[in-house]
Amino acid sequence: NAGVTQTPKFQVLKTGQSMTLQCAQDMNHEYMSWYRQDPGMGLRLIHYSVGAGITDQGEVPNGYNVSRSTTEDFPLRLLSAAPSQTSVYFCASSYPGGGEAFFGQGTRLTVV
Amino acid sequence: ILNVEQSPQSLHVQEGDSTNFTCSFPSSNFYALHWYRWETAKSPEALFVMTLNGDEKKKGRISATLNTKEGYSYLYIKGSQPEDSATYLCAFFNGNQFYFGTGTSLTVIP
């Protein structure tokens, strides 16, 4: 059982470049979300989705886009990378209504 | 922005000591309160999902209580072991979004 698969694990970008972080889950979870983790800040919600075709903004959405064309996949796009987006990113999925969240292994992104 | 606060920020205890942490959250729009264990270089893993006022959950030496009316939850670890060393996160769910605290970092000294 793969659970939540997040790729890549590490990435270095130059300022202004774009990229997509991939997230896929095989548990048929309707709720998926993206977080960034910065020192002293805890996990902060970027975007979330309650099902295919539905997405919404979290606490820190600026500079990021998401889409949810299938139940399984929830990619996060950085449109024009900035050094302030250097962080560790986690994707998570759960059943709706506040069920246990399952996390991917994280992506360490550095923007230079 | 909704505040979820955890205390203490970090804790060092001797092997065999019992310890507890606090998570404070808003008492309105409550759906669920989660506790996660997060080991270095790994991903957070769920310990407990609590939904009802007065809930008490237990898993081995770890237990948690919930008071939704006053907006707090306690996590207890009895007889701490070195393998309990990790960051413990709580997360408040308001029906739409999860809001995570910054965690309590526990180090158990052998």
Side-chain angles (χ1 to χ4, degrees):
Chain A
N1 191 351
V4 180
T5 304
Q6 188 181 332
T7 57
K9 201 166 183 179
F10 301 95
Q11 184 72 49
V12 178
L13 288 179
K14 292 183 179 179
T15 297
Q17 286 185 316
S18 62
M19 78 159 294
T20 299
L21 279 64
Q22 301 292 343
C23 178
Q25 52 92 10
D26 61 1
M27 296 172 281
N28 204 31
H29 286 164
E30 292 182 18
Y31 191 99
M32 296 186 74
S33 49
W34 277 101
Y35 300 88
R36 58 178 289 171
Q37 191 247 332
D38 301 294
M41 302 290 287
L43 290 169
R44 291 185 294 167
L45 182 66
I46 304 170
H47 285 284
Y48 66 100
S49 169
V50 299
I54 306 169
T55 64
D56 209 341
Q57 296 181 352
E59 185 183 348
V60 288
N62 292 340
Y64 307 96
N65 266 2
V66 292
S67 60
R68 185 92 180 272
S69 56
T70 66
T71 300
E72 294 78 20
D73 299 298
F74 191 45
L76 178 74
R77 297 182 186 86
L78 279 71
L79 308 172
S80 177
S84 60
Q85 293 178 303
T86 294
S87 188
V88 181
Y89 292 83
F90 287 94
C91 175
S93 74
S94 62
Y95 287 114
E100 172 188 349
F102 293 82
F103 286 84
Q105 74 261 42
T107 298
R108 184 172 294 274
L109 174 68
T110 303
V111 182
V112 298
Chain B
I1 296 177
L2 188 150
N3 273 340
V4 176
E5 297 183 355
Q6 290 188 247
S7 62
Q9 188 174 0
S10 66
L11 201 52
H12 290 71
V13 301
Q14 292 291 135
E15 182 175 353
D17 286 351
S18 294
T19 186
N20 64 86
F21 325 133
T22 303
C23 174
S24 300
F25 52 86
S27 53
S28 59
N29 297 322
F30 177 88
Y31 271 68
L33 192 283
H34 294 199
W35 282 100
Y36 291 85
R37 172 190 162 87
W38 193 359
E39 293 181 70
T40 303
K42 293 188 177 180
S43 302
E45 292 185 351
L47 287 170
F48 303 114
V49 174
M50 308 174 80
T51 57
L52 298 175
N53 184 45
D55 253 355
E56 293 188 18
K57 302 268 187 178
K58 187 174 182 183
K59 187 181 291 186
R61 294 178 292 98
I62 305 177
S63 60
T65 61
L66 178 68
N67 184 322
T68 59
K69 292 183 179 179
E70 296 183 39
Y72 64 84
S73 176
Y74 295 136
L75 187 78
Y76 301 91
I77 302 179
K78 185 177 178 182
S80 302
Q81 299 296 308
E83 57 266 29
D84 295 329
S85 297
T87 295
Y88 292 83
L89 293 176
C90 69
F92 169 83
F93 185 71
N94 69 351
N96 288 307
Q97 301 181 21
F98 285 96
Y99 295 87
F100 282 82
T102 53
T104 292
S105 174
L106 174 67
T107 302
V108 182
I109 303 161

